[in-house]
Amino acid sequence: MTHPSSPTLDDILSYEKQVWQALIAGDAGADDALLTEDFLGVYPDGFSDKAAHTGQLDQGPCMAEYMLSEARLMVLGSDHVLLSYRADYRRALNPTWEAMYISSIWIRVGETWRNSFSQDTPAA
C-alpha cells in the first residue's frame, strides 16, 4: 500500500546515490546533510553513528566507484520508507570490487528525505 504522496523508488534512489557520491567526492558535509542526527549503521565490522559515517571522509574519498541494482522500495508509513538494493563498489585506492546487499530507512524531513538507518550484508 502506498500513501498518496509516497516517494517513488527513483526518488529515494536519487537520495541514496547522493550518499554514494559524497563518499566518492570525500564530501563530509554532503554526507552529513543526508543523515539524521540519530543515524545508525549496522555493518559487518560493527555499529556506526553519524559521526563515524561522516568521519570516514576525514582523509578524503573512501569510495572510487559503484553500481546499484536489484533496488526495491517498501513504504513503512507516510514519512518512512525502506530501500533495499545490491551495491557493487570499489573502495578508493583499491582495484578489487566488493558487493553488499544494503537496506536503508529514509524518513521525510520537511520537503526532503534523510537516511536514519543502514545495514550492509556481504553478498555471497
Side-chain angles (χ1 to χ4, degrees):
M1 175 189 293
T2 61
H3 184 270
S5 63
S6 294
T8 66
L9 175 60
D10 287 343
D11 292 336
I12 299 301
L13 264 177
S14 72
Y15 285 106
E16 190 79 21
K17 288 175 182 177
Q18 288 176 53
V19 174
W20 282 95
Q21 287 304 126
L23 300 179
I24 288 173
D27 189 341
D31 189 44
D32 181 84
L34 291 159
L35 305 178
T36 61
E37 292 305 315
D38 62 349
F39 171 82
L40 173 64
V42 180
Y43 305 123
D45 61 349
F47 296 107
S48 174
D49 61 9
K50 183 177 183 174
H53 197 279
T54 60
Q56 67 185 326
L57 301 172
D58 288 347
Q59 305 303 315
C62 63
M63 292 291 165
E65 55 187 319
Y66 71 95
M67 295 180 299
L68 307 184
S69 61
E70 301 178 43
R72 56 204 66 199
L73 188 69
M74 179 184 293
V75 176
L76 302 175
S78 60
D79 296 325
H80 298 79
V81 295
L82 173 68
L83 174 67
S84 297
Y85 61 93
R86 178 186 168 112
D88 291 271
Y89 59 92
R90 197 172 58 74
R91 296 178 192 273
L93 307 176
N94 187 334
T96 305
W97 282 85
E98 301 174 57
M100 293 271 184
Y101 286 98
I102 299 175
S103 291
S104 303
I105 295 177
W106 288 83
I107 63 170
R108 188 189 319 262
V109 178
E111 296 299 314
T112 191
W113 289 82
R114 297 246 167 87
N115 187 206
S116 65
F117 173 84
S118 184
Q119 182 167 3
D120 296 3
T121 303

